[in-house]
Amino acid sequence: MSIDPAARAGYRDHPARVGFFTDTSVCIGCKACEVACKEWNAVPEDGLSLSGMSYDNTVGLGASTWRHVAFIEQPAHPGDAAEGLRWLMSSDVCKHCTEAACLDVCPTGALFRTEFGTVVVQDDVCNGCGYCVPACPFGVIARREQDGQAHKCTLCYDRLGAMPGS
Amino acid sequence: MAECHPVGFQWVMEAKARGAKVVHVDPRFTRTSAVADLHVPIRAGADIVFLGGIINYVLANEKYFRDYVVTYTNAATLLTEDFAGTEDLDGVFSGLDPEHRTYDFEAWRYQGGDMSAAAGRRDRVDRGETHRQVRQAARGEAHGAGGAAAHHDPDRDETLTSPRCVFQVLKRHFARYTPEMVEQVCGVPPDAFARVCELVTENSGPDRTTAFVYSVGWTQHTVGVQYIRTAAILQLLLGNIGRPGGGILALRGHASIQGSTDIPTLFDLLPGYLPMPHVHGNEDLATYVHAESMDKGFWANMGSYMVSLLKAWWGEAATPANDFCFDYLPRLTGSHSTYETVVAQINGDCQGYFLFGENPAVGSANGRMQRFGLANLDWLVVRDLVMIESATFWQNGPEIETGEMRTEDIGTEVFFMPAAAHTEKDGSFTNTQRMLQWHHTAVEPAGDARSDLWFAYHLGRRIREKLALGGVAPAGAAADEMDRPVLDLTWDYPVAGPQAEPSAEAVLAEINGTDASGQPLSGFTQLKDDGSTACGCWIYCGVRAGGVNQAARRKPGREQSWVAPEWGWAWPANRRILYNRASADPDGKPWSDRKALVWWDEDAGKWTGHDVADFVADRPPSYRPDADATGVDAISGVDPFILQADGKGWLFAPAGLVDGPLPAHYEPQESPFANPLYGQQRNPLREIIRHRQDPLQPAGDEPGAQVFPYVATTYRLTEHHTAGGMSRMLPYLSELQPEFFCEVSPELAAERNLSHLGWATIVTARTAIEARVLVTERMRTTEVQGRRLHQIGLPYHWGTNGISTGDSANDLAHLALDPNVHIQEVKALACDIRPGRRPRGPALRQFVQEYAERAGITDDTGTEL
């Protein structure tokens, strides 16, 4: 039987669990997801430097990057588009883990499980201790220099209520 | 397409999910290549050889769609004995006047009558000097041509065997475009080329169709229009025109750029692709209509379209007695394209300039000349969302840094008028599919920002008030005669709101047109030439049929057929695929069930189907016109190409394109290679804007060409938008691609000692720019004519202003243009590249001068026929 994190957190009659699924076979690396996330969540710009990592100047997730499109140039595999080359693109994001390490280690309760099964940081509770940062195996959560607090993807908590059927 | 049109590209991915094969032909491996089934790296500037090679394959292996070709194209048409082609004349066509650099279309005629072009150059005015001046005006974008002789049924051989039939002429012409030539000239290996030929031909015919999709990678060449022609020939041979899933799709990329030629911002067009009148040959309305219309097809009604336009613009003042104010229209005296205008600015002949959402200091070729032009104006008005480089050239342009310009010496008075964004105004966009989609104001513009409509309307209102000595002058009142064209305009749009914004809906109503009683029209067939109808753009007539804004319709796709005719409105008459008569066979039955689009309903006596038929609605397939029929009556039941004088798709273009009835490969203006196909190196008719600020490089085997041994090509990145005004000023987009970079192959990096993330300087005869270096396998080094060819990728978005700044790639470009449409050749430039940053200050000019000396560049270099 699969775990229902919202139920385990104590919600009764909670809405269906949500998560992100990314189909990398159709990703064209346009980065609209990065921009839309920053616009909606008012996440600050966090670095204007050419990384040299193909077309990826975002480099990784962090307190002020909640969406990151990776670009990997590789030699071709059989079936790829000719002349020995492939270019892989994938949009990375917080996974809102069933067993969320950041949630487990947070001493203040700033990180909590929502009724949607997602994991969210409360800005007004976080004390910036940073325990969550090394806990995350995916390097998602981090502290923002401007305010010293931990920030990460909210799975658009403020949009979920507007979904049909939710 | 994925880079430049990511949202539109989702439909390519949908098609791929349903089994479509995606082939991507591009010098670079881009985000499109990453998801394509096949990527073919090609040398920039060699596409006519590539496409010509496929045509040769189709002809030699008899892969053409014979029934379609015989009945719907001019394959069977016979040419006169006067015609001689590139095989006979080593790369040029008969009728070349080398001194004036023009072709005489007489030598390309059909046997059995004159033919006039549906698009492009008309050829009906007198010979001699005025003829030449009319030609220089090009008006390549316009439709309609000189009144054809009564013959619209030229001699034909439907066995396609006569040596002078177009089909045989085509075979001879393309015979040298072999797979070996494709390998040599394009750098495309034989197995990749063979794969493309197989994919394209296997997927074309009665049951399947193939589409070609292109943008400025094809048009921005001195033979750009001929690139499109080559694709048109191929698609006609394969029977892919006018059929679902077929076609040649020009991605008109910038928002509403299709609309900007429909309701034109081009010097040589009036709305609906009517030609702008020329001072010679169009002296009055009747002469204009005679010279510019055609005897057969829908262009025969040009008089109605023109008179209705004049009535829309001048209303009551336009009467039969005054030629409906035809004389109020300005006249062309030559080419007044953007690049000629820049020369006129530098020469002091053009004193004022409006830039509406255009940033030529970054976006146009030869940025230095653009800025020299701007610096010599008396006044400049810039309307934009942000402070673009074209508004601040006097303060921080590259010529200030080199010392060639000093701010205190520049007399241009610059007015910056903030513009409203598309979310802050009502209006329409017209996209690649000719579909108009309405957008509504979401928020009011802040501060002084105003829409283009507001600006044009109120500027016109205030000028009219001044001219009319304090009020709007009624017709006939005492005002200076030369002001009457402005004072007599219909300028009575209602305004609303705190900013007195004119009603865009009212403008749309004027564009749609009205009948004598002021009722909205529903289609261009209702237009008259007696002054009883008014219509601002004949091809848009019907967009407000019934007084309903058809462009604002948003019926979801899932509630409609797959054609979805109730989303938006496409011109003309909401036809979604042009020339769709060709989707049915000569008897009016679809070529196949799976590709059915429109068909003839014998019982109902009309064409029906999924789309609106692009044909005379009740014309049976069996209809054959009488010999003396004219206009729409002359369209036979098997003439899908209703705007052509002979109703057929033109494999051979006897008129319309100034530089040849067939496409021939010429090398770009600046190329490291000699033309291996013909002795004629470059397009003999290319337009050269001769100016000392536009020095040209030697090419091919000429001495000095080896000083610029690499080929650079410009392009866009998804993250930035054109000249950067809408992206480099925004933090979220700037951080995605924060710096101007060039892309080079590992082999080129080794050859020129370039390091990844280091700096490089790229040099042409015009200037030198610097960029960060990205070394990547996605730039392929290919083998061309026995040499290793390195190509350099240059995204062109950068300029001096904004969060992300950098040098402008277009500063490298020259002003040799396609002669049909005056477009610049920025897709294939010869250049050099060096490691390290460029010199600054006067040392930069010194550096460029040293290159010019090494290459032996003079005022005449590159200007040879």
Side-chain angles (χ1 to χ4, degrees):
Chain A
M1 197 180 84
S2 66
I3 297 164
D4 178 350
R8 196 170 58 171
Y11 295 99
R12 298 187 213 293
D13 299 324
H14 61 80
R17 186 177 184 188
V18 295
F20 280 116
F21 174 72
T22 304
D23 183 352
T24 60
S25 72
V26 298
C27 180
I28 57 173
C30 74
K31 307 178 191 172
C33 54
E34 291 195 32
V35 176
C37 172
K38 289 224 180 186
E39 285 276 4
W40 180 265
N41 294 296
V43 176
E45 168 262 300
D46 63 343
L48 292 163
S49 63
L50 197 66
S51 71
M53 289 166 51
S54 190
Y55 278 9
D56 176 4
N57 294 300
T58 304
V59 179
L61 295 172
S64 295
T65 292
W66 300 354
R67 264 280 163 197
H68 162 231
V69 181
F71 290 76
I72 309 292
E73 296 177 28
Q74 277 183 351
H77 287 50
D80 283 346
E83 17 90 63
L85 193 61
R86 65 185 346 206
W87 204 6
L88 305 174
M89 291 146 206
S90 175
S91 179
D92 194 19
V93 71
C94 171
K95 294 93 187 58
H96 297 269
C97 304
T98 303
E99 306 286 0
C102 64
L103 181 61
D104 288 346
V105 306
C106 175
T108 64
L111 280 152
F112 75 102
R113 181 76 64 183
T114 74
E115 65 271 34
F116 294 100
T118 58
V119 178
V120 170
V121 188
Q122 297 169 85
D123 287 350
D124 52 350
V125 175
C126 174
N127 67 359
C129 73
Y131 289 0
C132 54
V133 179
C136 174
F138 303 109
V140 171
I141 195 166
R143 275 181 300 189
R144 189 178 288 169
E145 230 179 76
Q146 287 95 311
D147 58 15
Q149 293 190 310
H151 298 271
K152 74 169 191 70
C153 166
T154 65
L155 220 155
C156 283
Y157 196 12
D158 47 352
R159 291 175 71 103
L160 286 176
M163 274 165 48
S166 66
Chain B
M1 184 177 177
E3 298 272 349
C4 303
H5 307 276
V7 177
F9 194 76
Q10 68 179 298
W11 302 114
V12 176
M13 296 306 283
E14 290 279 349
K16 194 179 168 208
R18 291 191 296 180
K21 291 278 179 289
V22 179
V23 177
H24 184 224
V25 183
D26 195 298
R28 306 172 306 123
F29 190 101
T30 71
R31 281 172 268 206
T32 305
S33 324
V35 293
D37 293 288
L38 175 64
H39 172 240
V40 181
I42 189 173
R43 168 167 75 101
D47 294 59
I48 290 177
V49 176
F50 187 80
L51 294 170
I54 305 176
I55 291 171
N56 190 30
Y57 172 91
V58 166
L59 293 171
N61 295 289
E62 298 187 336
K63 300 282 189 182
Y64 47 90
F65 186 164
R66 191 183 177 94
D67 288 341
Y68 182 107
V69 169
V70 169
T71 317
Y72 294 161
T73 76
N74 66 357
T77 306
L78 299 178
L79 305 178
T80 68
E81 278 164 0
D82 293 339
F83 176 72
T86 51
E87 291 302 301
D88 310 305
L89 301 174
D90 195 19
V92 299
F93 298 92
S94 42
L96 178 63
D97 173 359
E99 194 205 325
H100 292 111
R101 305 207 184 182
T102 57
Y103 275 114
D104 185 348
F105 296 169
E106 287 293 299
W108 306 344
R109 276 175 307 132
Y110 289 167
Q111 183 169 291
D114 278 323
M115 222 16 70
S116 303
R121 209 36 106 49
R122 60 220 42 75
D123 194 35
R124 287 282 305 159
V125 293
D126 57 285
R127 308 289 152 207
E129 179 58 22
T130 53
H131 182 64
R132 204 168 62 73
Q133 287 178 15
V134 173
R135 286 179 167 288
Q136 278 170 354
R139 298 186 290 175
E141 295 90 346
H143 281 225
H151 286 277
H152 45 69
D153 275 322
D155 300 343
R156 288 161 60 81
D157 165 26
E158 298 211 342
T159 69
L160 305 185
T161 53
S162 163
R164 275 191 291 110
C165 78
V166 164
F167 188 79
Q168 291 299 332
V169 168
L170 211 64
K171 282 188 96 162
R172 265 203 315 278
H173 178 86
F174 283 108
R176 65 177 54 230
Y177 291 75
T178 60
E180 293 73 35
M181 197 59 86
V182 170
E183 184 177 18
Q184 232 201 86
V185 179
C186 308
V188 174
D191 53 350
F193 178 66
R195 188 88 189 98
V196 174
C197 290
E198 283 155 15
L199 282 170
V200 167
T201 52
E202 280 160 14
N203 198 60
S204 303
D207 288 314
R208 309 198 70 84
T209 53
T210 299
F212 277 72
V213 176
Y214 76 94
S215 301
V216 290
W218 266 5
T219 59
Q220 286 176 347
H221 296 272
T222 46
V223 287
V225 175
Q226 294 291 356
Y227 269 45
I228 317 309
R229 271 280 297 141
T230 324
I233 292 169
L234 177 57
Q235 288 291 67
L236 283 170
L237 288 173
L238 293 173
N240 281 326
I241 304 287
R243 303 184 60 207
I248 305 167
L249 312 177
L251 298 177
R252 309 290 307 268
H254 199 114
S256 211
I257 198 171
Q258 176 67 46
S260 82
T261 52
D262 295 342
I263 313 263
T265 57
L266 299 180
F267 76 94
D268 53 351
L269 290 185
L270 291 170
Y273 301 95
L274 295 168
M276 187 72 77
H278 195 279
V279 68
H280 298 301
N282 299 151
E283 286 82 357
D284 58 33
L285 180 61
T287 314
Y288 171 86
V289 171
H290 173 72
E292 306 300 338
S293 67
M294 293 198 293
D295 284 353
K296 170 172 170 167
F298 281 95
W299 277 114
N301 297 331
M302 181 180 283
S304 304
Y305 313 149
M306 188 59 170
V307 170
S308 300
L309 174 66
L310 295 169
K311 286 297 287 183
W313 284 0
W314 283 292
E316 302 283 301
T319 67
N322 62 22
D323 252 5
F324 298 103
C325 293
F326 177 78
D327 230 25
Y328 284 177
L329 291 171
R331 298 293 199 274
L332 301 180
T333 55
S335 172
H336 309 295
S337 82
T338 181
Y339 295 109
E340 274 95 356
T341 302
V342 168
V343 172
Q345 292 169 353
I346 294 174
N347 292 344
D349 295 325
C350 168
Q351 287 108 34
Y353 206 28
F354 283 92
L355 294 175
F356 277 60
E358 183 82 15
N359 191 6
V362 172
S364 291
N366 197 334
R368 285 169 47 75
M369 268 186 83
Q370 303 293 330
R371 294 184 291 269
F372 281 121
L374 296 172
N376 205 36
L377 294 165
D378 289 351
W379 55 266
L380 170 68
V381 176
V382 179
R383 278 187 43 84
D384 214 299
L385 306 174
V386 292
M387 196 58 73
I388 55 172
E389 287 78 1
S390 299
T392 65
F393 67 92
W394 52 271
Q395 189 180 38
N396 62 3
E399 290 69 40
I400 303 290
E401 188 192 283
T402 61
E404 293 170 279
M405 285 186 200
R406 294 190 326 147
T407 301
E408 53 268 37
D409 297 337
I410 296 172
T412 313
E413 189 169 2
V414 181
F415 300 84
F416 185 85
M417 314 289 294
H422 70 281
T423 46
E424 298 168 340
K425 55 190 180 181
D426 286 350
S428 65
F429 287 130
T430 307
N431 73 4
T432 281
Q433 201 202 358
R434 298 161 283 101
M435 177 164 63
L436 283 76
Q437 296 176 95
W438 196 256
H439 59 87
H440 302 272
T441 307
V443 292
E444 293 295 321
D448 290 333
R450 296 288 184 274
S451 69
D452 294 334
L453 181 56
W454 183 98
F455 184 86
Y457 169 74
H458 286 288
L459 180 66
R461 177 182 61 75
R462 291 167 74 159
I463 287 174
R464 284 156 52 88
E465 283 166 10
K466 287 183 185 299
L467 292 177
L469 312 165
V472 175
D480 199 326
E481 265 312 294
M482 73 178 260
D483 296 332
R484 289 248 63 93
V486 176
L487 290 172
D488 287 349
L489 284 168
T490 58
W491 209 253
D492 51 350
Y493 307 97
V495 297
Q499 295 170 6
E501 179 77 11
S503 162
E505 185 86 30
V507 176
L508 188 74
E510 181 182 75
I511 287 170
N512 178 76
T514 49
D515 64 17
S517 61
Q519 291 304 301
L521 296 171
S522 56
F524 65 83
T525 50
Q526 296 176 302
L527 296 175
K528 307 260 184 296
D529 64 359
D530 60 4
S532 60
T533 55
C535 175
C537 180
W538 71 280
I539 54 177
Y540 280 26
C541 187
V543 70
R544 215 172 165 270
V548 172
N549 185 338
Q550 308 289 332
R553 298 182 304 167
R554 292 287 181 274
K555 188 176 205 173
R558 62 181 171 277
E559 295 172 24
Q560 306 188 52
S561 73
W562 60 272
V563 170
E566 290 179 74
W567 177 284
W569 184 88
W571 68 261
N574 206 25
R575 295 164 188 169
R576 297 302 168 117
I577 294 180
L578 286 182
Y579 310 123
N580 58 25
R581 165 69 184 90
S583 69
D585 66 18
D587 295 327
K589 272 176 62 286
W591 291 108
S592 66
D593 283 337
R594 74 187 292 281
K595 289 290 171 177
L597 185 65
V598 301
W599 51 88
W600 174 250
D601 183 337
E602 185 63 46
D603 295 329
K606 63 182 177 62
W607 290 90
T608 187
H610 304 303
D611 193 5
V612 175
D614 190 21
F615 205 60
V616 183
D618 58 359
R619 179 141 310 164
S622 55
Y623 174 88
R624 297 293 178 270
D626 295 333
D628 56 356
T630 59
V632 175
D633 292 342
I635 299 173
S636 87
V638 292
D639 281 345
F641 296 92
I642 56 176
L643 293 178
Q644 299 294 111
D646 54 358
K648 305 300 179 201
W650 281 6
L651 296 168
F652 178 97
L657 272 71
V658 301
D659 51 354
L662 291 170
H665 171 72
Y666 301 119
E667 287 290 319
Q669 170 65 41
E670 295 181 342
S671 167
F673 299 101
N675 188 350
L677 278 92
Y678 313 106
Q680 182 62 33
Q681 170 75 9
R682 308 174 178 106
N683 185 351
L685 260 73
R686 71 201 183 283
E687 190 184 332
I688 300 167
I689 308 282
R690 293 194 68 151
H691 199 275
R692 90 194 125 72
Q693 292 292 2
D694 195 55
L696 298 172
Q697 295 158 196
D701 293 335
E702 294 161 22
Q706 75 286 354
V707 173
F708 303 100
Y710 309 117
V711 172
T713 189
T714 61
Y715 53 89
R716 301 163 201 233
L717 301 166
T718 311
E719 296 85 344
H720 283 296
H721 189 60
T722 60
M726 291 175 76
S727 61
R728 289 185 295 102
M729 316 278 172
L730 301 175
Y732 292 156
L733 294 176
S734 296
E735 64 176 329
L736 297 179
Q737 293 282 17
E739 295 194 48
F740 174 39
F741 59 83
C742 61
E743 300 191 280
V744 299
S745 69
E747 204 177 308
L748 174 57
E751 184 169 298
R752 274 291 193 257
N753 201 20
L754 308 169
S755 14
H756 186 63
L757 283 185
W759 283 95
T761 296
I762 304 105
V763 193
T764 66
R766 271 69 57 191
T767 192
I769 59 172
E770 63 183 16
R772 301 290 297 279
V773 176
L774 290 186
V775 180
T776 170
E777 294 275 2
R778 291 179 296 98
M779 292 302 292
R780 317 298 288 173
T781 291
T782 52
E783 187 92 6
V784 173
Q785 288 169 238
R787 287 162 45 189
R788 303 292 291 159
L789 167 70
H790 303 295
Q791 301 192 89
I792 298 163
L794 296 173
Y796 79 93
H797 305 289
W798 275 272
T800 49
N801 298 355
I803 297 168
S804 176
T805 64
D807 283 353
S808 304
N810 282 328
D811 282 8
L812 297 174
H814 58 73
L815 297 187
L817 315 172
D818 177 296
N820 295 290
V821 294
H822 319 281
I823 200 164
Q824 68 277 3
E825 183 165 65
V826 287
K827 290 303 173 210
L829 303 170
C831 69
D832 189 22
I833 189 167
R834 300 259 144 205
R837 303 194 70 159
R838 63 167 168 82
R840 297 191 126 61
L844 173 61
R845 295 312 305 159
Q846 181 62 28
F847 178 74
V848 177
Q849 179 57 26
E850 280 159 17
Y851 264 87
E853 278 159 21
R854 275 201 293 127
I857 291 174
T858 69
D859 284 347
D860 294 324
T861 306
T863 64
E864 314 80 3
L865 186 73

